[in-house]
């Protein structure tokens, strides 16, 4: 997975950076029809223009995988707001990825209650099994890993969130089967990017 | 375990999140009752019940509502704080996922009390499932005419909109939440003006916690004096306690306010795990000062008793640590959280939390200096009370109390360049 956000020559918003999969690099970035519908519903739901930014960014991230420079420009254009404002918001909230992530973004809770019940060991076991460090993506593009703070499920520590889903009681000794089941869930143990 | 659950009475029922289940238990009678009373009457019932906010500060709810200017006929807002991100806190999630209509019922009553026709539920972005459940519940309530125009045949209109955060602990602070709702960085505002005067879009706004709002329907249904009969004087009503860490049965337990700490830990949470003994407890989410095992013995878990014990009930996130826990490690874990979550507006908070975390890091790894505990306390003193919002004080409280109460562990780390306890808390 190529993680360049700026090509050596091009301006920041040139279509050089893109997560894996469609749309094709030749066409300028655009929202799909389904996302477009969703954005229209956001306009109805939040009559105040300011309130549409976070919901729109959530849709954009689902659509494109991460908030690249071109996605920023696309969203800024769509909402008619300065890119600088959008930049200030995107950089503030940890859920908005400013770099590509794997198709399965494995987020391990490291806050005190999880740590007391072994999230440190869980983290080490996951990093070890996948052979990557925090913020990195496996060569096949399937996994990325990162540390996150309390996910409000501390009674089921250690807690790991993968994309939108919570996984509970993920102790270090369960990591192998946990990763296997994630691979099976995506339907490919080997996976190409 | 004789306590009749109030807030979690529907939890565990099949389809507890469906509107028909909620209606079958007498649901929405509070909202119906409210819209046929005057707003002042509603505020009075809630004031008389003694309800104090469950979001952390324990501020009297009726009083907060009464700060909304009465002669102002313009737009007012109610915001439900469902940002639940304080380490050790996982009670609001239970209500959101299992009984969303209890929350909506409570929001209708509360919005009516302050005459807000627009309400928002600010839910933390990471709670994907709960957000979907809430959206479903709000849609059900609209479909029945419980939300929208002229609800329950009254002249009162109310719209509730779910709004998702995007990963920032500081957006749980009420003015950070408001900024985030406006689509900006969640930077807390300088108070005053308080949100009741100038809140969302500069209009009078009340921000209440999920659990607070869920206390409201039972108060209207069963009366202020019933609610006030639960708990201890000035600390009334049922409370959701979250127990995490080194206990046999971590979980959310609904009990009267003022339930003794050791009763919660031993009878409900099943005692300390692995046959070990209790070493320390952080009783109110990670922003609260630590208590030693002896300090826990006779402590009633309510706002005033915890305050007297120089800690706080906070969000009632009771984090339990056994005798194998390295307290230097625990301090580092907590301070790292605050250094990460500081919004960066105030220099003492931004720089102070970062430096304290760095010093603690060297202490944990056997590279500390003898003078570190005093240095740390000195930095802490210079953070405390010198920042815009309470996050800074919340960062200092646990760490400074750990240094004061477990200082010998810091000294041990310096002297032996190692820890006898093994690394328990930090990766
Ligand atoms: C850093 C910080 C984080 C907070 N996080 C939350 C939260 O996640 N949920 C919450 O209800 N209150 C939180 N609060 C408290 C809110 O500022 C506010 O006091 C509360 O929502 C008021 O509700 P209540 O009166 O019903 O307790 C936080 C406060 C601070 C300083
Ligand atoms: S105290 Fe910390 S979190 Fe609060 S406003 Fe200041 S810098 Fe931000
Ligand atoms: S500490 Fe991990 S979920 Fe709360």
């Amino acid at each position: 997975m190529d993680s360049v956000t700026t090509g050596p020559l091009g301006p920041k918003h040139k279509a050089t950076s893109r997560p894996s999969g469609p749309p094709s690099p030749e066409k300028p970035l655009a929202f799909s029809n389904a996302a477009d519908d969703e954005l229209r519903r956001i306009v109805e739901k939040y009559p105040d223009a300011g309130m549409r930014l976070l919901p729109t960014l959530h849709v954009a991230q689902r659509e494109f995988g991460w908030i690249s420079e071109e996605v920023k420009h696309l969203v800024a254009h769509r909402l008619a707001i300065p890119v600088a404002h959008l930049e200030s918001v995107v950089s503030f909230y940890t859920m908005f990825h400013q770099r590509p992530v794997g198709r399965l973004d494995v987020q391990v809770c490291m806050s005190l209650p999880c740590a007391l019940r072994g999230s440190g060991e869980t983290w080490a076991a996951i990093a070890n099994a996948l052979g990557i460090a925090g913020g990195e993506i496996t060569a096949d593009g399937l996994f990325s890993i990162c540390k996150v703070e309390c996910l409000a499920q501390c009674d089921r520590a250690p807690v790991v969130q993968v994309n939108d889903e919570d996984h509970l009681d993920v102790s270090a000794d369960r990591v192998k089967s946990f990763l296997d089941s994630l691979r099976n869930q995506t339907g490919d143990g080997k996976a190409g990017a | 375990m004789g306590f009749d659950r109030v807030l979690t009475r529907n939890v565990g029922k099949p389809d507890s999140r469906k509107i028909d289940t909620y209606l079958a238990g007498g649901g929405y009678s509070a909202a119906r009752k409210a819209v046929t009373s005057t707003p002042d009457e509603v505020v009075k019932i809630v004031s008389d019940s003694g309800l104090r906010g469950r979001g952390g500060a324990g501020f009297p709810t009726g009083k907060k509502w009464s700060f909304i200017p009465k002669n102002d006929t313009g737009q007012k807002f109610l915001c439900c704080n469902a940002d639940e991100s304080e380490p050790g806190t996982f009670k609001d999630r239970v209500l959101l996922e299992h009984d969303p209509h209890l929350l909506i019922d409570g929001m209708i009553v509360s919005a009516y009390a302050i005459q807000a026709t627009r309400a928002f539920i600010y839910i933390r972005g990471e709670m994907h499932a709960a957000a979907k459940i809430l959206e479903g519940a709000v849609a059900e309530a609209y479909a029945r005419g419980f939300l929208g125009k002229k609800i329950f045949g009254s002249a009162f209109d109310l719209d509730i909109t779910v709004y998702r955060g995007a990963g920032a602990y500081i957006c749980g602070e009420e003015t950070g939440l408001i900024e985030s709702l406006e689509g900006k960085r969640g930077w807390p505002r300088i108070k005053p003006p308080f949100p009741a005067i100038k809140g969302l879009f500069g209009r009078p706004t009340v921000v209440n916690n999920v659990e607070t709002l869920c206390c409201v329907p039972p108060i209207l249904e069963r009366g202020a004096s019933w609610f006030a009969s639960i708990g201890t004087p000035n600390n009334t009503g049922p409370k959701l306690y979250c127990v995490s860490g080194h206990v046999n049965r971590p979980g959310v337990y609904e009990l009267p306010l003022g339930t003794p700490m050791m009763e919660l830990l031993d009878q409900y949470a099943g005692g300390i795990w692995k046959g070990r003994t209790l070493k320390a407890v952080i009783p109110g989410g990670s922003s609260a000062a630590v208590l030693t095992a002896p300090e826990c013995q006779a402590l009633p878990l309510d706002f005033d008793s915890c305050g007297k014990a120089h800690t706080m009930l906070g969000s009632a996130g009771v984090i339990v640590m056994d005798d194998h826990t390295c307290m230097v490690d625990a301090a580092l874990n907590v301070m790292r959280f605050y250094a990460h979550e500081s919004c960066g507006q105030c220099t003492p908070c931004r720089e102070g939390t970062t430096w304290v975390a760095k010093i603690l890091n060297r202490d944990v790894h056997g590279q500390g200096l003898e003078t570190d505990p005093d240095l740390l306390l000195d930095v802490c003193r210079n953070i405390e009370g010198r920042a815009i919002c309470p996050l800074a004080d919340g960062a200092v409280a646990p760490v400074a109390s750990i240094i004061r109460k477990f200082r010998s562990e810091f000294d041990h780390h310096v002297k032996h360049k190692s820890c006898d306890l093994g690394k328990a808390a930090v990766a």
Side-chain angles (χ1 to χ4, degrees):
Chain A
M1 164 109 25
D2 209 336
S3 71
V4 267
T5 50
T6 46
L9 305 168
K12 278 187 172 178
H13 55 278
K14 212 186 145 199
T16 51
S17 61
R18 187 181 303 287
S20 56
S24 79
E26 290 77 36
K27 278 194 245 139
L29 201 66
F31 285 107
S32 66
N33 288 341
D36 235 24
D37 285 345
E38 216 174 326
L39 294 180
R40 265 192 290 276
R41 281 198 295 277
I42 285 172
V43 172
E44 284 163 26
K45 188 170 166 186
Y46 304 102
D48 181 86
M51 286 192 148
R52 296 171 194 156
L53 178 51
L54 258 58
T56 304
L57 283 167
H58 279 303
V59 172
Q61 178 153 295
R62 189 159 6 101
E63 185 89 339
F64 305 112
W66 62 293
I67 310 293
S68 65
E69 288 300 320
E70 353 164 37
V71 172
K72 282 180 200 165
H73 283 262
L74 181 72
V75 172
H77 180 75
R78 176 97 185 195
L79 297 176
I81 56 170
V83 179
H85 173 58
L86 191 134
E87 195 89 53
S88 85
V89 169
V90 169
S91 61
F92 187 78
Y93 295 95
T94 54
M95 283 177 72
F96 296 134
H97 305 305
Q98 294 187 271
R99 294 189 289 188
V101 292
R103 273 182 287 142
L104 297 172
D105 189 31
V106 179
Q107 307 156 74
V108 184
C109 174
M110 304 306 285
S111 295
L112 185 60
C114 275
L116 290 169
R117 294 179 79 101
S119 65
E121 286 79 15
T122 296
W123 169 261
I126 291 174
N128 193 36
L130 297 176
I132 52 174
E136 293 179 353
I137 306 171
T138 51
D140 59 9
L142 187 57
F143 289 105
S144 52
I145 60 173
C146 69
K147 296 179 178 180
V148 295
E149 303 297 351
C150 182
L151 292 162
Q153 300 255 69
C154 330
D155 52 341
R156 304 294 302 274
V159 180
V160 179
Q161 191 169 70
V162 181
N163 298 350
D164 294 1
E165 231 173 275
D166 293 324
H167 297 262
L168 310 173
D169 307 311
V170 187
S171 49
D173 58 339
R174 281 192 49 214
V175 160
K176 200 185 165 305
S177 61
F178 165 69
L179 292 174
D180 284 344
S181 74
L182 286 178
R183 282 192 192 96
N184 293 336
Q185 210 177 292
T186 57
D188 61 73
K190 338 177 248 322
Chain B
M1 314 210 176
F3 181 65
D4 232 351
R5 290 185 290 150
V6 178
L7 302 170
T8 54
R9 65 183 184 274
N10 291 328
V11 175
K13 284 186 191 167
D15 292 328
S16 69
R17 60 180 72 137
K18 292 268 170 61
I19 198 162
D20 286 322
T21 313
Y22 187 64
L23 285 167
Y28 285 105
S29 60
R32 273 179 227 276
K33 184 169 173 183
V35 298
T36 53
S37 315
T38 67
D40 284 347
E41 281 167 353
V42 177
V43 175
K44 184 167 187 316
I45 299 172
V46 172
S47 296
D48 290 348
S49 75
L51 173 62
R52 295 172 66 173
R54 302 323 197 207
F59 193 84
T61 305
K63 195 168 178 183
K64 185 184 266 189
W65 294 355
S66 70
F67 292 153
I68 295 287
K70 287 211 179 56
N71 47 7
D72 186 334
T73 51
Q75 182 69 59
K76 299 174 192 96
F77 295 105
L78 172 71
C79 299
C80 168
N81 190 339
D83 194 53
E84 187 161 70
S85 315
E86 171 90 7
T89 313
F90 42 98
K91 63 189 178 65
D92 297 339
R93 173 194 285 280
V94 173
L95 297 168
L96 296 166
E97 290 186 353
H98 295 276
D99 206 356
H101 287 287
L102 176 63
L103 175 63
I104 296 170
D105 197 357
M107 287 183 73
I108 296 173
V109 177
S110 309
Y112 182 79
I114 62 166
Q115 291 291 293
T117 56
R118 200 91 179 74
F120 296 94
I121 303 173
Y122 186 99
I123 181 165
R124 69 177 290 191
E126 295 89 342
M127 285 193 184
H128 300 275
K132 282 207 185 92
I133 291 166
L134 272 180
E135 293 279 12
V138 167
E140 277 185 315
Y142 270 105
R144 301 288 171 107
F146 299 173
L147 292 174
K149 297 274 175 232
K150 305 206 180 311
I151 60 174
F152 301 109
S154 73
F156 184 63
D157 302 338
L158 177 64
D159 284 303
I160 295 184
T161 309
V162 178
Y163 184 93
R164 291 178 59 215
Y169 165 67
I170 195 59
C171 293
E173 195 280 333
E174 56 184 6
T175 58
L177 181 148
I178 288 170
E179 287 284 308
S180 181
L181 259 176
E182 293 180 359
K184 298 182 256 177
R185 297 165 82 91
W187 276 6
R189 297 176 180 171
I190 294 173
K191 293 186 266 191
F194 289 92
I197 308 299
K198 258 179 165 255
L200 186 61
F201 302 118
R203 301 296 309 158
T205 303
V206 160
V207 181
N208 273 136
N209 170 258
V210 171
E211 186 186 350
T212 310
L213 293 163
C214 287
C215 284
V216 169
I219 292 172
L220 261 83
E221 286 161 21
R222 300 168 75 170
S225 51
W226 161 80
F227 191 87
S229 72
I230 302 169
T232 52
N234 201 37
N235 296 267
T236 58
K239 181 77 195 86
L240 301 184
Y241 294 101
C242 323
V243 189
S244 65
H246 297 154
V247 291
N248 283 313
R249 283 197 303 273
V252 174
Y253 297 96
E254 180 177 356
L255 294 164
L257 263 175
T259 297
M261 169 87 85
M262 295 316 294
E263 185 180 322
L264 176 68
L265 299 191
D266 290 338
Q267 288 183 32
Y268 295 91
I272 307 305
W273 73 349
K274 301 183 180 176
R276 296 180 186 168
T277 54
L278 177 66
K279 181 177 197 171
V281 177
I282 294 180
S286 70
S287 304
V290 76
L291 296 167
T292 62
E295 287 170 330
C296 291
Q297 295 310 312
L299 182 70
L301 284 171
D302 61 41
F303 297 109
D304 296 341
S305 305
C306 288
K308 268 188 221 128
H310 304 289
T311 182
M312 62 174 186
L313 183 62
S315 60
V318 180
I319 306 170
V320 181
M321 289 167 268
D322 70 17
D323 55 351
H324 285 50
T325 311
C326 169
M327 298 308 288
V328 186
D329 232 354
L332 171 58
N333 183 301
V334 171
M335 192 49 85
R336 265 193 192 161
F337 172 81
Y338 291 99
H340 180 253
E341 298 298 337
S342 167
C343 83
Q345 279 191 100
C346 319
T347 311
C349 173
R350 182 187 67 240
E351 301 298 319
T353 53
T354 306
W355 279 104
V356 170
K358 280 185 182 168
I359 298 167
L360 286 167
N361 191 51
R362 79 178 178 208
D363 290 344
V364 164
H365 294 99
Q367 291 149 2
L369 307 176
E370 228 171 285
T371 46
D372 277 356
D374 287 326
L375 174 63
L376 286 165
L377 289 173
D378 188 45
V379 180
C380 283
R381 267 191 297 273
N382 283 292
I383 299 173
E384 222 171 2
R386 290 169 203 265
I388 291 173
C389 91
L391 179 140
D393 292 358
V396 167
V399 170
S401 59
I402 287 174
I403 298 169
R404 289 196 189 100
K405 293 179 186 181
F406 297 94
R407 188 165 180 138
S408 62
E409 292 191 25
F410 288 77
D411 296 338
H412 184 100
H413 273 246
V414 172
K415 207 163 159 193
H416 301 277
K417 305 214 175 305
S418 71
C419 177
D420 284 347
L421 297 157
K423 41 180 173 42
V426 174

